[in-house]
Amino acid sequence: MLVRLSTLFFSLFGLLLAGVLGTPTPEPKPEAQSADLAGLSIGDIINALGIGLVKNITATITLDSLTTNLISINFDVSNPLPIELTLDRVSSSAGINGTEFARFNHTFNPPVVVPILGQANSGQIDNVLLTQGALASLDIIPLGVLDLLNTDVDVRAGTIFGFGGIPIPIDGLKQSNVPVTYNLDITG
Ligand SMILES: *[C@@H]1O[C@H](CO)[C@@H](O)[C@H](O)[C@H]1NC(C)=O
Ligand SMILES: *[C@@H]1O[C@H](CO)[C@@H](O)[C@H](O)[C@H]1NC(C)=O
Ligand SMILES: *[C@@H]1O[C@H](CO)[C@@H](O)[C@H](O)[C@H]1NC(C)=O
């Protein structure tokens, strides 16, 4: 009986394995890559995103922020390209007039899918460090804008509903005068 069960187990396992191995793996061929990217080169994609990936930022300040120097943010990104983009990770330094006020490093889980010519929200990103301290940062709230002094983002281009795509690490994006909305959350 034991033998028969294990035989059954192995046959089932074998079937499963055959099913998995039998699934055609989309081997990225050069032709397939350019087709996925709608004829765009990696350089085209980097340039297009360099013009302004981030539409606006919403920053939430809590009473704790005054002691922890941490705030949370979320931001809207827009995709100017006729291919889907998926964001896996971002790290950014933001400030005013070349002075850094905030810095964060975030891995998106799940990744953020930005539809073709569409927009998406980052979801909440905690642990954004106010590098000048919370009190000094109050001065920049009335400006209602931030400059992204240096943003690195891991993008996958030509994804399908967030899957696959061609990984493009983009370093050193800069963007000026990104609108920022500040919320004070006194329940936090
Ligand atoms: C940010 O931009 C998106 C896309 O344009 C828009 O839908 C959203 O209302 C904006 N949010 C704020 C707070 O301005
Ligand atoms: C930024 O620099 C400009 C030009 O130097 C100056 O007019 C402005 O007051 C500065 N803004 C801040 C918030 O320091
Ligand atoms: C972001 O976090 C990753 C992983 O923890 C680390 O390797 C990287 O140096 C960090 N980048 C910045 C700008 O802090």
Side-chain angles (χ1 to χ4, degrees):
M1 187 55 186
L2 199 60
V3 173
R4 287 186 51 199
L5 267 181
S6 64
T7 311
L8 183 64
F9 175 81
F10 279 112
S11 343
L12 280 176
F13 186 72
L15 273 177
L16 275 173
L17 201 62
V20 170
L21 295 178
T23 311
T25 24
E27 197 59 51
K29 297 185 199 86
E31 315 88 86
Q33 287 196 4
S34 46
D36 287 344
L37 299 183
L40 297 165
S41 73
I42 307 278
D44 292 337
I45 294 168
I46 293 174
N47 289 339
L49 299 188
I51 292 171
L53 181 64
V54 179
K55 288 288 270 196
N56 55 44
I57 300 170
T58 301
T60 301
I61 302 166
T62 65
L63 291 178
D64 283 346
S65 301
L66 296 174
T67 49
T68 61
N69 294 327
L70 296 172
I71 61 171
S72 63
I73 63 162
N74 68 79
F75 56 86
D76 278 298
V77 291
S78 68
N79 176 3
L81 298 168
I83 53 173
E84 186 186 274
L85 299 173
T86 296
L87 312 184
D88 287 319
R89 197 189 69 86
V90 63
S91 79
S92 188
S93 161
I96 291 289
N97 276 359
T99 301
E100 181 191 76
F101 276 84
R103 184 183 346 151
F104 70 92
N105 190 3
H106 185 73
T107 299
F108 296 108
N109 184 19
V112 174
V113 178
V114 199
I116 291 173
L117 301 173
Q119 282 149 7
N121 186 265
S122 63
Q124 181 165 321
I125 297 175
D126 291 319
N127 298 320
V128 176
L129 178 65
L130 298 174
T131 49
Q132 306 284 326
L135 282 179
S137 304
L138 296 178
D139 290 346
I140 64 167
I141 291 181
L143 301 176
V145 292
L146 276 175
D147 299 333
L148 303 181
L149 306 172
N150 189 1
T151 301
D152 298 341
V153 58
D154 287 349
V155 172
R156 277 178 290 122
T159 50
I160 297 173
F161 300 119
F163 292 98
I166 294 168
I168 309 178
I170 303 179
D171 291 340
L173 289 182
K174 293 181 193 344
Q175 207 180 320
S176 296
N177 292 314
V178 179
V180 185
T181 305
Y182 293 92
N183 297 322
L184 181 64
D185 178 5
I186 53 166
T187 63

mmCIF file of all heavy atoms in Angstrom, residues 140-173:
data_model
loop_
_atom_site.group_PDB
_atom_site.id
_atom_site.type_symbol
_atom_site.label_atom_id
_atom_site.label_comp_id
_atom_site.label_asym_id
_atom_site.label_seq_id
_atom_site.Cartn_x
_atom_site.Cartn_y
_atom_site.Cartn_z
ATOM 1 N N ILE A 140 9.168 74.930 4.378
ATOM 2 C CA ILE A 140 8.976 74.699 2.936
ATOM 3 C C ILE A 140 7.538 74.324 2.603
ATOM 4 O O ILE A 140 7.165 74.266 1.440
ATOM 5 C CB ILE A 140 9.945 73.622 2.383
ATOM 6 C CG1 ILE A 140 9.681 72.247 3.011
ATOM 7 C CG2 ILE A 140 11.402 74.042 2.588
ATOM 8 C CD1 ILE A 140 10.389 71.118 2.279
ATOM 9 N N ILE A 141 6.704 74.096 3.635
ATOM 10 C CA ILE A 141 5.308 73.715 3.373
ATOM 11 C C ILE A 141 4.562 74.771 2.549
ATOM 12 O O ILE A 141 3.898 74.426 1.577
ATOM 13 C CB ILE A 141 4.585 73.382 4.698
ATOM 14 C CG1 ILE A 141 5.167 72.072 5.254
ATOM 15 C CG2 ILE A 141 3.077 73.270 4.497
ATOM 16 C CD1 ILE A 141 4.539 71.609 6.554
ATOM 17 N N PRO A 142 4.693 76.068 2.901
ATOM 18 C CA PRO A 142 3.940 77.072 2.131
ATOM 19 C C PRO A 142 4.333 77.125 0.651
ATOM 20 O O PRO A 142 3.544 77.602 -0.170
ATOM 21 C CB PRO A 142 4.290 78.392 2.818
ATOM 22 C CG PRO A 142 4.789 78.023 4.160
ATOM 23 C CD PRO A 142 5.413 76.675 4.022
ATOM 24 N N LEU A 143 5.509 76.636 0.304
ATOM 25 C CA LEU A 143 5.930 76.700 -1.105
ATOM 26 C C LEU A 143 5.059 75.788 -1.967
ATOM 27 O O LEU A 143 4.810 76.072 -3.136
ATOM 28 C CB LEU A 143 7.400 76.293 -1.246
ATOM 29 C CG LEU A 143 8.410 77.132 -0.451
ATOM 30 C CD1 LEU A 143 9.813 76.557 -0.614
ATOM 31 C CD2 LEU A 143 8.364 78.585 -0.906
ATOM 32 N N GLY A 144 4.625 74.659 -1.383
ATOM 33 C CA GLY A 144 3.736 73.749 -2.120
ATOM 34 C C GLY A 144 4.405 73.028 -3.275
ATOM 35 O O GLY A 144 3.729 72.438 -4.121
ATOM 36 N N VAL A 145 5.723 73.075 -3.322
ATOM 37 C CA VAL A 145 6.446 72.343 -4.364
ATOM 38 C C VAL A 145 7.722 71.757 -3.767
ATOM 39 O O VAL A 145 8.212 72.226 -2.739
ATOM 40 C CB VAL A 145 6.862 73.231 -5.572
ATOM 41 C CG1 VAL A 145 5.673 73.687 -6.366
ATOM 42 C CG2 VAL A 145 7.715 74.406 -5.123
ATOM 43 N N LEU A 146 8.238 70.752 -4.417
ATOM 44 C CA LEU A 146 9.545 70.195 -4.081
ATOM 45 C C LEU A 146 10.276 69.898 -5.385
ATOM 46 O O LEU A 146 9.648 69.594 -6.400
ATOM 47 C CB LEU A 146 9.401 68.888 -3.290
ATOM 48 C CG LEU A 146 9.193 68.958 -1.782
ATOM 49 C CD1 LEU A 146 8.955 67.558 -1.242
ATOM 50 C CD2 LEU A 146 10.393 69.608 -1.091
ATOM 51 N N ASP A 147 11.589 69.993 -5.323
ATOM 52 C CA ASP A 147 12.399 69.534 -6.449
ATOM 53 C C ASP A 147 12.871 68.119 -6.136
ATOM 54 O O ASP A 147 13.300 67.854 -5.004
ATOM 55 C CB ASP A 147 13.636 70.426 -6.631
ATOM 56 C CG ASP A 147 13.270 71.877 -6.918
ATOM 57 O OD1 ASP A 147 12.175 72.113 -7.461
ATOM 58 O OD2 ASP A 147 14.081 72.765 -6.587
ATOM 59 N N LEU A 148 12.780 67.247 -7.112
ATOM 60 C CA LEU A 148 13.385 65.925 -6.947
ATOM 61 C C LEU A 148 14.840 66.073 -7.378
ATOM 62 O O LEU A 148 15.141 66.266 -8.553
ATOM 63 C CB LEU A 148 12.646 64.879 -7.782
ATOM 64 C CG LEU A 148 11.145 64.783 -7.472
ATOM 65 C CD1 LEU A 148 10.489 63.711 -8.321
ATOM 66 C CD2 LEU A 148 10.916 64.513 -5.993
ATOM 67 N N LEU A 149 15.725 66.081 -6.389
ATOM 68 C CA LEU A 149 17.129 66.396 -6.652
ATOM 69 C C LEU A 149 17.843 65.221 -7.290
ATOM 70 O O LEU A 149 18.743 65.387 -8.095
ATOM 71 C CB LEU A 149 17.826 66.783 -5.345
ATOM 72 C CG LEU A 149 17.150 67.927 -4.556
ATOM 73 C CD1 LEU A 149 17.791 68.092 -3.196
ATOM 74 C CD2 LEU A 149 17.217 69.229 -5.343
ATOM 75 N N ASN A 150 17.416 64.030 -6.909
ATOM 76 C CA ASN A 150 18.067 62.830 -7.425
ATOM 77 C C ASN A 150 17.154 61.639 -7.161
ATOM 78 O O ASN A 150 16.893 61.311 -6.008
ATOM 79 C CB ASN A 150 19.414 62.638 -6.727
ATOM 80 C CG ASN A 150 20.233 61.535 -7.360
ATOM 81 O OD1 ASN A 150 19.813 60.927 -8.338
ATOM 82 N ND2 ASN A 150 21.382 61.257 -6.795
ATOM 83 N N THR A 151 16.665 61.049 -8.219
ATOM 84 C CA THR A 151 15.757 59.911 -8.066
ATOM 85 C C THR A 151 16.294 58.730 -8.862
ATOM 86 O O THR A 151 16.622 58.870 -10.035
ATOM 87 C CB THR A 151 14.340 60.279 -8.576
ATOM 88 O OG1 THR A 151 13.858 61.391 -7.826
ATOM 89 C CG2 THR A 151 13.379 59.119 -8.423
ATOM 90 N N ASP A 152 16.400 57.609 -8.196
ATOM 91 C CA ASP A 152 16.738 56.359 -8.887
ATOM 92 C C ASP A 152 15.494 55.485 -8.871
ATOM 93 O O ASP A 152 14.842 55.365 -7.839
ATOM 94 C CB ASP A 152 17.859 55.604 -8.142
ATOM 95 C CG ASP A 152 19.150 56.410 -8.082
ATOM 96 O OD1 ASP A 152 19.305 57.353 -8.880
ATOM 97 O OD2 ASP A 152 19.992 56.084 -7.231
ATOM 98 N N VAL A 153 15.188 54.914 -10.006
ATOM 99 C CA VAL A 153 13.990 54.081 -10.049
ATOM 100 C C VAL A 153 14.257 52.831 -10.882
ATOM 101 O O VAL A 153 14.928 52.894 -11.901
ATOM 102 C CB VAL A 153 12.771 54.918 -10.549
ATOM 103 C CG1 VAL A 153 13.009 55.512 -11.909
ATOM 104 C CG2 VAL A 153 11.491 54.120 -10.545
ATOM 105 N N ASP A 154 13.811 51.705 -10.358
ATOM 106 C CA ASP A 154 13.907 50.447 -11.110
ATOM 107 C C ASP A 154 12.577 50.228 -11.809
ATOM 108 O O ASP A 154 11.557 49.978 -11.162
ATOM 109 C CB ASP A 154 14.188 49.265 -10.178
ATOM 110 C CG ASP A 154 15.622 49.275 -9.662
ATOM 111 O OD1 ASP A 154 16.433 50.067 -10.196
ATOM 112 O OD2 ASP A 154 15.930 48.511 -8.739
ATOM 113 N N VAL A 155 12.615 50.359 -13.121
ATOM 114 C CA VAL A 155 11.413 50.247 -13.945
ATOM 115 C C VAL A 155 11.514 48.984 -14.773
ATOM 116 O O VAL A 155 12.602 48.601 -15.181
ATOM 117 C CB VAL A 155 11.343 51.463 -14.914
ATOM 118 C CG1 VAL A 155 10.230 51.306 -15.924
ATOM 119 C CG2 VAL A 155 11.172 52.751 -14.158
ATOM 120 N N ARG A 156 10.374 48.348 -14.997
ATOM 121 C CA ARG A 156 10.316 47.338 -16.060
ATOM 122 C C ARG A 156 9.416 47.869 -17.161
ATOM 123 O O ARG A 156 8.294 48.310 -16.887
ATOM 124 C CB ARG A 156 9.789 46.005 -15.527
ATOM 125 C CG ARG A 156 10.900 45.166 -14.845
ATOM 126 C CD ARG A 156 10.389 43.868 -14.277
ATOM 127 N NE ARG A 156 9.540 44.104 -13.124
ATOM 128 C CZ ARG A 156 8.277 43.716 -13.015
ATOM 129 N NH1 ARG A 156 7.677 43.067 -14.003
ATOM 130 N NH2 ARG A 156 7.584 43.980 -11.925
ATOM 131 N N ALA A 157 9.944 47.881 -18.370
ATOM 132 C CA ALA A 157 9.226 48.459 -19.509
ATOM 133 C C ALA A 157 8.583 47.356 -20.336
ATOM 134 O O ALA A 157 9.177 46.298 -20.523
ATOM 135 C CB ALA A 157 10.184 49.262 -20.370
ATOM 136 N N GLY A 158 7.393 47.631 -20.828
ATOM 137 C CA GLY A 158 6.708 46.667 -21.684
ATOM 138 C C GLY A 158 6.155 45.493 -20.913
ATOM 139 O O GLY A 158 6.066 44.382 -21.436
ATOM 140 N N THR A 159 5.778 45.740 -19.645
ATOM 141 C CA THR A 159 5.179 44.665 -18.857
ATOM 142 C C THR A 159 3.753 44.405 -19.336
ATOM 143 O O THR A 159 3.157 45.208 -20.063
ATOM 144 C CB THR A 159 5.138 45.045 -17.364
ATOM 145 O OG1 THR A 159 4.572 46.352 -17.227
ATOM 146 C CG2 THR A 159 6.530 45.071 -16.768
ATOM 147 N N ILE A 160 3.224 43.272 -18.930
ATOM 148 C CA ILE A 160 1.828 42.945 -19.204
ATOM 149 C C ILE A 160 1.168 42.697 -17.856
ATOM 150 O O ILE A 160 1.500 41.739 -17.160
ATOM 151 C CB ILE A 160 1.715 41.731 -20.141
ATOM 152 C CG1 ILE A 160 2.346 42.091 -21.485
ATOM 153 C CG2 ILE A 160 0.258 41.300 -20.300
ATOM 154 C CD1 ILE A 160 2.462 40.955 -22.463
ATOM 155 N N PHE A 161 0.300 43.613 -17.463
ATOM 156 C CA PHE A 161 -0.325 43.586 -16.135
ATOM 157 C C PHE A 161 0.717 43.389 -15.031
ATOM 158 O O PHE A 161 0.511 42.646 -14.072
ATOM 159 C CB PHE A 161 -1.422 42.515 -16.058
ATOM 160 C CG PHE A 161 -2.526 42.740 -17.045
ATOM 161 C CD1 PHE A 161 -2.810 41.805 -18.025
ATOM 162 C CD2 PHE A 161 -3.283 43.921 -17.002
ATOM 163 C CE1 PHE A 161 -3.825 42.023 -18.946
ATOM 164 C CE2 PHE A 161 -4.295 44.143 -17.926
ATOM 165 C CZ PHE A 161 -4.568 43.193 -18.900
ATOM 166 N N GLY A 162 1.856 44.049 -15.185
ATOM 167 C CA GLY A 162 2.890 44.046 -14.153
ATOM 168 C C GLY A 162 3.877 42.896 -14.252
ATOM 169 O O GLY A 162 4.828 42.837 -13.490
ATOM 170 N N PHE A 163 3.653 41.987 -15.183
ATOM 171 C CA PHE A 163 4.546 40.830 -15.297
ATOM 172 C C PHE A 163 5.523 41.006 -16.455
ATOM 173 O O PHE A 163 5.201 41.660 -17.447
ATOM 174 C CB PHE A 163 3.737 39.539 -15.488
ATOM 175 C CG PHE A 163 2.946 39.180 -14.256
ATOM 176 C CD1 PHE A 163 1.604 39.512 -14.160
ATOM 177 C CD2 PHE A 163 3.565 38.546 -13.187
ATOM 178 C CE1 PHE A 163 0.874 39.210 -13.021
ATOM 179 C CE2 PHE A 163 2.839 38.237 -12.045
ATOM 180 C CZ PHE A 163 1.498 38.569 -11.961
ATOM 181 N N GLY A 164 6.686 40.397 -16.303
ATOM 182 C CA GLY A 164 7.683 40.388 -17.367
ATOM 183 C C GLY A 164 8.267 41.765 -17.603
ATOM 184 O O GLY A 164 8.488 42.527 -16.668
ATOM 185 N N GLY A 165 8.469 42.101 -18.848
ATOM 186 C CA GLY A 165 9.038 43.390 -19.194
ATOM 187 C C GLY A 165 10.549 43.374 -19.162
ATOM 188 O O GLY A 165 11.172 42.377 -18.794
ATOM 189 N N ILE A 166 11.116 44.489 -19.568
ATOM 190 C CA ILE A 166 12.573 44.601 -19.637
ATOM 191 C C ILE A 166 13.040 45.531 -18.536
ATOM 192 O O ILE A 166 12.630 46.692 -18.483
ATOM 193 C CB ILE A 166 12.981 45.106 -21.032
ATOM 194 C CG1 ILE A 166 12.600 44.025 -22.050
ATOM 195 C CG2 ILE A 166 14.468 45.430 -21.085
ATOM 196 C CD1 ILE A 166 12.667 44.452 -23.459
ATOM 197 N N PRO A 167 13.844 45.020 -17.584
ATOM 198 C CA PRO A 167 14.276 45.856 -16.458
ATOM 199 C C PRO A 167 15.188 46.990 -16.919
ATOM 200 O O PRO A 167 16.127 46.759 -17.661
ATOM 201 C CB PRO A 167 15.053 44.886 -15.558
ATOM 202 C CG PRO A 167 14.755 43.526 -16.067
ATOM 203 C CD PRO A 167 14.391 43.660 -17.511
ATOM 204 N N ILE A 168 14.860 48.192 -16.496
ATOM 205 C CA ILE A 168 15.697 49.356 -16.804
ATOM 206 C C ILE A 168 15.942 50.106 -15.503
ATOM 207 O O ILE A 168 15.037 50.755 -14.981
ATOM 208 C CB ILE A 168 15.009 50.306 -17.813
ATOM 209 C CG1 ILE A 168 14.512 49.542 -19.038
ATOM 210 C CG2 ILE A 168 15.955 51.416 -18.224
ATOM 211 C CD1 ILE A 168 13.789 50.422 -20.042
ATOM 212 N N PRO A 169 17.152 50.003 -14.952
ATOM 213 C CA PRO A 169 17.445 50.821 -13.773
ATOM 214 C C PRO A 169 17.764 52.237 -14.236
ATOM 215 O O PRO A 169 18.620 52.434 -15.097
ATOM 216 C CB PRO A 169 18.667 50.142 -13.158
ATOM 217 C CG PRO A 169 19.217 49.241 -14.204
ATOM 218 C CD PRO A 169 18.294 49.196 -15.374
ATOM 219 N N ILE A 170 17.033 53.214 -13.734
ATOM 220 C CA ILE A 170 17.247 54.603 -14.150
ATOM 221 C C ILE A 170 17.798 55.370 -12.959
ATOM 222 O O ILE A 170 17.205 55.367 -11.886
ATOM 223 C CB ILE A 170 15.930 55.230 -14.648
ATOM 224 C CG1 ILE A 170 15.371 54.397 -15.794
ATOM 225 C CG2 ILE A 170 16.160 56.659 -15.089
ATOM 226 C CD1 ILE A 170 14.069 54.900 -16.345
ATOM 227 N N ASP A 171 18.942 55.990 -13.161
ATOM 228 C CA ASP A 171 19.603 56.700 -12.064
ATOM 229 C C ASP A 171 19.643 58.196 -12.340
ATOM 230 O O ASP A 171 19.809 58.621 -13.477
ATOM 231 C CB ASP A 171 21.047 56.212 -11.898
ATOM 232 C CG ASP A 171 21.109 54.788 -11.385
ATOM 233 O OD1 ASP A 171 20.099 54.335 -10.810
ATOM 234 O OD2 ASP A 171 22.149 54.141 -11.572
ATOM 235 N N GLY A 172 19.501 58.956 -11.277
ATOM 236 C CA GLY A 172 19.781 60.392 -11.349
ATOM 237 C C GLY A 172 18.722 61.234 -12.038
ATOM 238 O O GLY A 172 19.037 62.278 -12.589
ATOM 239 N N LEU A 173 17.452 60.781 -12.012
ATOM 240 C CA LEU A 173 16.390 61.636 -12.555
ATOM 241 C C LEU A 173 16.279 62.891 -11.695
ATOM 242 O O LEU A 173 16.382 62.830 -10.471
ATOM 243 C CB LEU A 173 15.040 60.923 -12.529
ATOM 244 C CG LEU A 173 14.789 59.772 -13.497
ATOM 245 C CD1 LEU A 173 13.358 59.264 -13.322
ATOM 246 C CD2 LEU A 173 15.016 60.223 -14.929
#
